[in-house]
Amino acid sequence: MAMAMHRFSLCCVVLLVLAPLAAVAWRPWPPRNGSGEVEGIGASKKFEGSSDFVKLQYHMGPVLAADITVHPIWYGRWPAEQKRTIRAFLRSLSPPGSGSGDGGIPSPSVAAWWRTVRLYTDQTSANVSGVVRLGREKCDARASRGGRLTRLDIQSVVRDAVTARTRPLPVDSSGVYLVLTSPEVVVENFCGQVCGFHYFTFPSVVGYTLPYAWVGNSAARCPEVCAYPFAIPSYVGGGRRAEAPPNGDVGVDGMVSVIAHELAELASNPLANAWYAGEDPSFPTEIADLCEGIYGTGGGGAYTGQLLTDGRSGASYNVNGVGGRKFLVQWVWNPILSYCSGPNALDQ
Protein backbone atom coordinates (compact mmCIF):
# COMPACT_ATOMS: atom_id res chain seq x y z
CA MET A 1 0.00 0.00 0.00
CA ALA A 2 1.35 3.41 -0.94
CA MET A 3 2.12 5.56 2.04
CA ALA A 4 1.87 9.35 2.02
CA MET A 5 5.07 11.15 2.96
CA HIS A 6 4.92 13.36 6.05
CA ARG A 7 7.39 14.80 8.49
CA PHE A 8 7.26 12.41 11.40
CA SER A 9 8.66 12.81 14.86
CA LEU A 10 11.46 10.52 15.97
CA CYS A 11 10.15 7.43 17.74
CA CYS A 12 10.04 7.78 21.45
CA VAL A 13 13.40 6.39 22.59
CA VAL A 14 -18.71 1.26 41.29
CA LEU A 15 -20.16 1.08 43.57
CA LEU A 16 -21.54 -2.47 43.80
CA VAL A 17 -25.24 -2.41 42.91
CA LEU A 18 -27.70 -4.66 44.68
CA ALA A 19 -29.71 -5.57 41.61
CA PRO A 20 -28.99 -5.86 37.88
CA LEU A 21 -29.41 -2.65 35.90
CA ALA A 22 -31.48 -2.56 32.75
CA ALA A 23 -30.26 -0.27 29.99
CA VAL A 24 -30.78 0.52 26.36
CA ALA A 25 -27.65 0.44 24.19
CA TRP A 26 -27.79 3.41 21.84
CA ARG A 27 -25.88 3.77 18.63
CA PRO A 28 -25.50 6.87 16.46
CA TRP A 29 -26.80 5.45 13.18
CA PRO A 30 -28.72 2.41 11.93
CA PRO A 31 -26.08 -0.30 11.25
CA ARG A 32 -26.16 -2.01 7.88
CA ASN A 33 -25.30 -5.46 6.70
CA GLY A 34 -23.17 -6.41 3.72
CA SER A 35 -26.06 -5.93 1.30
CA GLY A 36 -26.51 -2.31 2.37
CA GLU A 37 -29.79 -3.01 4.15
CA VAL A 38 -30.39 -1.69 7.65
CA GLU A 39 -29.81 -4.38 10.27
CA GLY A 40 -31.74 -4.78 13.47
CA ILE A 41 -30.92 -2.94 16.65
CA GLY A 42 -28.13 -4.82 18.36
CA ALA A 43 -25.86 -5.18 15.32
CA SER A 44 -23.43 -2.37 16.02
CA LYS A 45 -20.59 -1.70 13.63
CA LYS A 46 -18.71 0.47 16.05
CA PHE A 47 -17.84 -1.49 19.17
CA GLU A 48 -18.16 -5.10 20.18
CA GLY A 49 -20.94 -6.37 22.35
CA SER A 50 -23.72 -3.82 21.91
CA SER A 51 -27.30 -5.06 22.16
CA ASP A 52 -30.74 -3.55 22.39
CA PHE A 53 -31.58 -4.46 25.98
CA VAL A 54 -29.07 -5.57 28.55
CA LYS A 55 -28.61 -6.01 32.28
CA LEU A 56 -25.31 -4.76 33.64
CA GLN A 57 -23.99 -7.06 36.36
CA TYR A 58 -20.91 -7.51 38.49
CA HIS A 59 -19.22 -10.90 38.07
CA MET A 60 -16.84 -10.73 41.07
CA GLY A 61 -13.64 -10.03 39.15
CA PRO A 62 -11.13 -7.21 39.74
CA VAL A 63 -11.24 -3.65 38.49
CA LEU A 64 -8.12 -1.51 37.97
CA ALA A 65 -8.01 -0.17 41.51
CA ALA A 66 -4.26 0.56 41.68
CA ASP A 67 -2.87 3.69 40.05
CA ILE A 68 -3.06 3.14 36.28
CA THR A 69 -0.15 3.75 33.91
CA VAL A 70 -0.98 3.86 30.19
CA HIS A 71 1.87 2.83 27.88
CA PRO A 72 1.16 3.85 24.27
CA ILE A 73 2.59 1.69 21.48
CA TRP A 74 2.68 3.68 18.23
CA TYR A 75 2.46 1.19 15.37
CA GLY A 76 3.08 2.67 11.93
CA ARG A 77 3.94 6.24 11.04
CA TRP A 78 2.62 8.91 13.39
CA PRO A 79 3.06 12.67 12.88
CA ALA A 80 4.19 14.51 16.00
CA GLU A 81 1.02 16.59 16.29
CA GLN A 82 -1.20 13.51 16.29
CA LYS A 83 0.86 12.03 19.11
CA ARG A 84 0.59 15.27 21.05
CA THR A 85 -3.20 15.25 20.81
CA ILE A 86 -3.51 11.70 22.13
CA ARG A 87 -0.93 12.29 24.86
CA ALA A 88 -2.83 15.40 25.94
CA PHE A 89 -6.02 13.40 26.33
CA LEU A 90 -4.29 10.72 28.40
CA ARG A 91 -2.69 13.38 30.62
CA SER A 92 -6.11 14.99 31.06
CA LEU A 93 -7.61 11.94 32.78
CA SER A 94 -5.90 12.91 36.04
CA PRO A 95 -3.95 16.14 35.44
CA PRO A 96 -1.48 17.63 37.92
CA GLY A 97 -3.32 19.11 40.88
CA SER A 98 -6.49 17.13 40.22
CA GLY A 99 -6.41 15.57 43.68
CA SER A 100 -8.33 18.59 44.98
CA GLY A 101 -10.34 19.30 41.84
CA ASP A 102 -9.70 19.24 38.12
CA GLY A 103 -6.21 20.74 38.20
CA GLY A 104 -7.44 24.15 37.15
CA ILE A 105 -8.99 22.82 33.94
CA PRO A 106 -12.35 24.46 33.12
CA SER A 107 -15.53 22.47 33.59
CA PRO A 108 -16.61 20.14 32.06
CA SER A 109 -13.30 18.32 32.18
CA VAL A 110 -11.88 14.99 31.07
CA ALA A 111 -11.06 14.25 34.72
CA ALA A 112 -14.74 14.75 35.62
CA TRP A 113 -15.68 12.33 32.85
CA TRP A 114 -13.32 9.73 34.39
CA ARG A 115 -15.03 10.15 37.77
CA THR A 116 -18.02 8.24 36.39
CA VAL A 117 -15.70 5.33 35.57
CA ARG A 118 -14.36 5.54 39.13
CA LEU A 119 -17.79 4.65 40.53
CA TYR A 120 -17.21 0.99 39.65
CA THR A 121 -15.83 -1.20 42.44
CA ASP A 122 -14.65 -4.74 43.02
CA GLN A 123 -15.82 -7.17 45.70
CA THR A 124 -13.54 -5.48 48.26
CA SER A 125 -15.31 -2.15 47.59
CA ALA A 126 -12.16 -0.75 45.96
CA ASN A 127 -12.98 1.79 43.26
CA VAL A 128 -11.37 2.13 39.86
CA SER A 129 -8.32 4.31 40.41
CA GLY A 130 -8.57 8.06 40.00
CA VAL A 131 -4.90 8.23 39.03
CA VAL A 132 -4.18 7.60 35.34
CA ARG A 133 -0.64 8.43 34.26
CA LEU A 134 0.98 8.55 30.84
CA GLY A 135 3.79 6.01 31.02
CA ARG A 136 6.67 5.08 28.76
CA GLU A 137 6.08 4.79 25.03
CA LYS A 138 7.27 2.55 22.26
CA CYS A 139 7.31 3.32 18.55
CA ASP A 140 7.30 0.89 15.65
CA ALA A 141 7.26 3.28 12.70
CA ARG A 142 8.40 0.49 10.37
CA ALA A 143 5.35 -1.61 11.26
CA SER A 144 7.62 -4.59 11.80
CA ARG A 145 4.76 -7.10 11.83
CA GLY A 146 3.40 -5.82 8.55
CA GLY A 147 0.54 -3.67 7.40
CA ARG A 148 -2.17 -6.29 8.01
CA LEU A 149 -2.70 -7.54 11.55
CA THR A 150 -4.97 -10.15 13.06
CA ARG A 151 -6.44 -9.69 16.48
CA LEU A 152 -3.85 -12.05 17.93
CA ASP A 153 -1.10 -10.08 16.18
CA ILE A 154 -1.96 -7.16 18.48
CA GLN A 155 -0.72 -9.25 21.40
CA SER A 156 2.49 -9.91 19.49
CA VAL A 157 2.92 -6.15 19.06
CA VAL A 158 2.66 -5.81 22.86
CA ARG A 159 5.20 -8.63 23.29
CA ASP A 160 7.62 -6.90 20.92
CA ALA A 161 7.32 -3.72 22.99
CA VAL A 162 8.04 -5.35 26.35
CA THR A 163 10.85 -7.59 25.05
CA ALA A 164 12.59 -5.08 22.75
CA ARG A 165 16.39 -5.13 22.90
CA THR A 166 16.49 -1.34 23.27
CA ARG A 167 14.25 0.64 25.58
CA PRO A 168 11.62 -2.04 26.19
CA LEU A 169 8.40 -1.06 27.89
CA PRO A 170 8.28 -2.16 31.52
CA VAL A 171 6.21 -5.19 32.49
CA ASP A 172 3.96 -3.12 34.70
CA SER A 173 1.57 -4.74 37.18
CA SER A 174 -0.62 -1.63 37.06
CA GLY A 175 0.05 -0.90 33.41
CA VAL A 176 -2.31 -0.71 30.46
CA TYR A 177 -0.78 -1.21 27.01
CA LEU A 178 -2.45 0.89 24.32
CA VAL A 179 -1.68 -0.21 20.75
CA LEU A 180 -2.44 2.60 18.30
CA THR A 181 -2.30 1.79 14.58
CA SER A 182 -1.82 4.47 11.91
CA PRO A 183 -4.20 4.89 8.94
CA GLU A 184 -2.30 2.64 6.53
CA VAL A 185 -2.46 -0.38 8.88
CA VAL A 186 -5.33 -2.83 8.37
CA VAL A 187 -6.52 -4.72 11.45
CA GLU A 188 -8.85 -7.71 11.39
CA ASN A 189 -12.51 -6.59 11.54
CA PHE A 190 -11.51 -2.90 11.59
CA CYS A 191 -14.33 -0.70 10.25
CA GLY A 192 -16.54 -3.66 9.39
CA GLN A 193 -17.17 -4.65 13.01
CA VAL A 194 -14.96 -2.72 15.42
CA CYS A 195 -13.01 0.51 15.86
CA GLY A 196 -11.21 -0.70 18.96
CA PHE A 197 -11.18 -3.53 21.47
CA HIS A 198 -9.58 -4.47 24.76
CA TYR A 199 -8.60 -7.74 26.39
CA PHE A 200 -5.66 -9.22 28.27
CA THR A 201 -2.55 -10.85 26.85
CA PHE A 202 -1.99 -14.59 26.96
CA PRO A 203 1.13 -15.80 28.80
CA SER A 204 1.71 -18.23 25.93
CA VAL A 205 2.06 -15.28 23.55
CA VAL A 206 3.47 -12.44 25.64
CA GLY A 207 4.78 -14.24 28.71
CA TYR A 208 2.49 -12.26 31.03
CA THR A 209 -1.17 -11.47 31.58
CA LEU A 210 -1.38 -7.75 30.81
CA PRO A 211 -4.47 -5.61 30.13
CA TYR A 212 -4.26 -4.05 26.69
CA ALA A 213 -6.37 -2.20 24.15
CA TRP A 214 -6.14 -1.51 20.45
CA VAL A 215 -7.53 1.53 18.61
CA GLY A 216 -7.08 2.29 14.90
CA ASN A 217 -6.95 5.56 13.00
CA SER A 218 -9.91 5.40 10.60
CA ALA A 219 -9.20 8.59 8.63
CA ALA A 220 -8.28 6.80 5.40
CA ARG A 221 -10.74 3.92 5.67
CA CYS A 222 -14.01 4.55 7.50
CA PRO A 223 -14.24 7.89 9.31
CA GLU A 224 -18.02 7.80 8.98
CA VAL A 225 -18.00 4.61 11.08
CA CYS A 226 -15.19 5.12 13.59
CA ALA A 227 -14.82 8.92 13.69
CA TYR A 228 -18.52 9.77 14.00
CA PRO A 229 -19.77 12.51 14.38
CA PHE A 230 -16.82 14.14 12.60
CA ALA A 231 -17.91 12.21 9.51
CA ILE A 232 -21.48 11.15 8.73
CA PRO A 233 -22.60 7.99 6.90
CA SER A 234 -24.29 8.73 3.58
CA TYR A 235 -27.41 6.86 4.63
CA VAL A 236 -28.09 9.19 7.56
CA GLY A 237 -30.79 11.43 6.19
CA GLY A 238 -31.95 14.95 6.94
CA GLY A 239 -28.93 16.69 5.43
CA ARG A 240 -26.97 15.99 8.60
CA ARG A 241 -23.66 17.85 8.70
CA ALA A 242 -20.52 16.48 10.29
CA GLU A 243 -19.27 18.17 13.46
CA ALA A 244 -15.97 20.03 13.27
CA PRO A 245 -13.23 18.15 15.20
CA PRO A 246 -11.86 20.08 18.20
CA ASN A 247 -8.21 19.36 17.34
CA GLY A 248 -8.62 19.71 13.60
CA ASP A 249 -8.01 16.03 12.83
CA VAL A 250 -10.99 13.82 12.01
CA GLY A 251 -9.07 10.55 12.42
CA VAL A 252 -7.34 11.40 15.70
CA ASP A 253 -10.28 13.24 17.26
CA GLY A 254 -12.35 10.17 16.46
CA MET A 255 -9.69 7.96 18.01
CA VAL A 256 -9.79 9.92 21.26
CA SER A 257 -13.41 8.93 21.87
CA VAL A 258 -12.65 5.28 21.04
CA ILE A 259 -9.62 5.38 23.38
CA ALA A 260 -11.86 6.77 26.12
CA HIS A 261 -14.41 4.03 25.43
CA GLU A 262 -11.83 1.25 25.66
CA LEU A 263 -10.04 2.62 28.73
CA ALA A 264 -13.35 2.93 30.60
CA GLU A 265 -14.16 -0.70 29.85
CA LEU A 266 -10.64 -1.91 30.51
CA ALA A 267 -10.68 -0.24 33.93
CA SER A 268 -14.04 -1.73 34.91
CA ASN A 269 -13.59 -5.15 33.27
CA PRO A 270 -9.86 -5.84 32.77
CA LEU A 271 -9.99 -9.65 32.85
CA ALA A 272 -13.47 -10.09 31.33
CA ASN A 273 -14.94 -11.15 34.69
CA ALA A 274 -16.06 -7.91 36.36
CA TRP A 275 -18.65 -5.44 35.01
CA TYR A 276 -20.56 -6.45 31.89
CA ALA A 277 -23.94 -7.60 30.64
CA GLY A 278 -24.79 -10.85 28.91
CA GLU A 279 -23.99 -14.47 29.68
CA ASP A 280 -20.86 -14.85 27.53
CA PRO A 281 -17.76 -12.98 28.80
CA SER A 282 -16.21 -13.39 25.35
CA PHE A 283 -18.88 -11.08 23.92
CA PRO A 284 -19.77 -8.74 26.79
CA THR A 285 -21.75 -5.53 26.68
CA GLU A 286 -19.76 -3.17 28.86
CA ILE A 287 -20.19 0.23 30.47
CA ALA A 288 -19.30 2.23 27.36
CA ASP A 289 -21.18 -0.03 24.94
CA LEU A 290 -24.36 0.96 26.76
CA CYS A 291 -23.85 4.61 25.81
CA GLU A 292 -22.50 4.32 22.29
CA GLY A 293 -23.25 7.47 20.28
CA ILE A 294 -24.27 9.59 23.29
CA TYR A 295 -22.14 12.68 23.93
CA GLY A 296 -24.58 15.04 25.62
CA THR A 297 -28.01 15.52 27.13
CA GLY A 298 -30.76 14.12 24.91
CA GLY A 299 -28.42 11.88 22.94
CA GLY A 300 -29.60 8.70 21.31
CA GLY A 301 -30.53 7.33 17.93
CA ALA A 302 -28.86 9.56 15.33
CA TYR A 303 -28.51 12.51 17.75
CA THR A 304 -25.28 13.07 19.68
CA GLY A 305 -26.96 15.09 22.40
CA GLN A 306 -26.23 18.72 23.21
CA LEU A 307 -22.58 19.62 22.63
CA LEU A 308 -20.44 22.64 23.35
CA THR A 309 -19.04 24.80 20.55
CA ASP A 310 -15.63 26.43 20.51
CA GLY A 311 -16.24 30.13 19.89
CA ARG A 312 -13.07 30.57 17.83
CA SER A 313 -12.97 27.44 15.70
CA GLY A 314 -16.61 26.42 15.67
CA ALA A 315 -15.56 22.90 16.64
CA SER A 316 -17.76 20.65 18.77
CA TYR A 317 -16.58 19.24 22.10
CA ASN A 318 -17.88 18.16 25.49
CA VAL A 319 -14.82 18.11 27.77
CA ASN A 320 -11.76 20.26 28.41
CA GLY A 321 -8.24 18.93 28.86
CA VAL A 322 -4.70 20.01 29.65
CA GLY A 323 -3.04 22.81 27.70
CA GLY A 324 -6.35 24.29 26.59
CA ARG A 325 -7.20 21.18 24.56
CA LYS A 326 -10.81 20.20 23.93
CA PHE A 327 -12.17 16.74 23.19
CA LEU A 328 -15.42 15.01 22.30
CA VAL A 329 -15.82 11.70 24.14
CA GLN A 330 -18.87 9.49 24.49
CA TRP A 331 -20.60 9.12 27.82
CA VAL A 332 -20.48 5.97 29.97
CA TRP A 333 -23.07 4.21 32.09
CA ASN A 334 -23.45 5.65 35.57
CA PRO A 335 -24.29 2.87 38.06
CA ILE A 336 -25.69 5.32 40.63
CA LEU A 337 -28.01 7.20 38.27
CA SER A 338 -28.74 4.09 36.18
CA TYR A 339 -28.33 5.90 32.89
CA CYS A 340 -25.65 7.29 30.62
CA SER A 341 -23.94 10.33 32.10
CA GLY A 342 -21.17 12.83 31.46
CA PRO A 343 -19.82 16.03 32.99
CA ASN A 344 -21.53 18.20 30.34
CA ALA A 345 -25.00 16.93 31.28
CA LEU A 346 -27.49 19.78 31.61
CA ASP A 347 -29.15 18.27 34.70
CA GLN A 348 -25.98 18.22 36.85
Side-chain angles (χ1 to χ4, degrees):
M1 179 180 295
M3 192 177 299
M5 299 301 294
H6 298 281
R7 183 179 299 275
F8 294 96
S9 64
L10 293 175
C11 277
C12 51
V13 224
V14 189
L15 293 174
L16 184 60
V17 291
L18 298 179
L21 301 174
V24 175
W26 296 93
R27 54 202 50 77
W29 59 83
R32 299 191 168 225
N33 59 28
S35 68
E37 296 176 351
V38 175
E39 294 181 339
I41 300 297
S44 171
K45 281 183 172 290
K46 211 175 178 197
F47 301 100
E48 297 178 315
S50 294
S51 71
D52 182 36
F53 186 80
V54 296
K55 293 181 179 180
L56 182 67
Q57 295 178 289
Y58 177 56
H59 297 265
M60 306 305 289
V63 300
L64 296 185
D67 292 356
I68 301 166
T69 303
V70 181
H71 298 288
I73 302 171
W74 307 94
Y75 189 88
R77 295 192 176 189
W78 284 91
E81 179 55 29
Q82 293 186 337
K83 289 183 177 182
R84 282 194 288 267
T85 298
I86 292 173
R87 288 186 189 119
F89 174 73
L90 296 174
R91 290 190 177 109
S92 299
L93 291 164
S94 56
S98 59
S100 57
D102 288 347
I105 294 173
S107 180
S109 70
V110 175
W113 174 87
W114 186 256
R115 282 198 285 273
T116 300
V117 181
R118 289 200 63 209
L119 295 173
Y120 289 86
T121 66
D122 63 17
Q123 58 184 310
T124 70
S125 297
N127 292 78
V128 168
S129 177
V131 177
V132 185
R133 299 187 181 96
L134 176 62
R136 291 171 58 181
E137 305 176 32
K138 193 67 179 175
C139 297
D140 188 350
R142 300 173 65 180
S144 59
R145 290 197 170 268
R148 303 186 70 89
L149 303 176
T150 66
R151 295 171 67 96
L152 194 58
D153 286 337
I154 301 298
Q155 295 201 23
S156 296
V157 172
V158 175
R159 181 186 63 193
D160 293 345
V162 300
T163 61
R165 295 180 62 183
T166 58
R167 298 187 177 134
L169 291 183
V171 177
D172 193 340
S173 61
S174 62
V176 168
Y177 298 82
L178 181 60
V179 179
L180 303 167
T181 53
S182 56
E184 70 276 7
V185 178
V186 178
V187 176
E188 181 182 5
N189 297 329
F190 186 26
C191 294
Q193 295 180 13
V194 297
C195 304
F197 62 78
H198 73 89
Y199 207 55
F200 52 88
T201 61
F202 303 146
S204 60
V205 176
V206 179
Y208 310 91
T209 299
L210 303 171
Y212 75 97
W214 159 77
V215 178
N217 187 325
S218 66
R221 295 177 54 80
C222 59
E224 73 283 356
V225 175
C226 294
Y228 178 91
F230 306 125
I232 304 295
S234 59
Y235 50 80
V236 172
R240 176 75 182 278
R241 292 185 178 181
E243 305 290 344
N247 296 283
D249 189 316
V250 168
V252 170
D253 277 301
M255 285 186 77
V256 164
S257 188
V258 184
I259 290 169
H261 178 118
E262 298 303 332
L263 289 180
E265 295 182 342
L266 194 55
S268 57
N269 192 33
L271 300 180
N273 60 357
W275 289 93
Y276 65 88
E279 300 303 320
D280 185 353
S282 299
F283 299 95
T285 298
E286 300 173 281
I287 69 170
D289 294 322
L290 296 173
C291 304
E292 184 183 320
I294 299 178
Y295 302 83
T297 299
Y303 180 50
T304 59
Q306 295 196 34
L307 308 179
L308 302 171
T309 302
D310 187 296
R312 291 181 296 178
S313 68
S316 297
Y317 71 102
N318 63 358
V319 285
N320 293 286
V322 298
R325 295 272 189 169
K326 302 179 188 300
F327 305 100
L328 182 65
V329 298
Q330 72 150 93
W331 285 4
V332 294
W333 184 258
N334 185 312
I336 305 302
L337 301 177
S338 296
Y339 56 76
C340 299
S341 180
N344 58 311
L346 298 181
D347 57 354
Q348 293 192 143

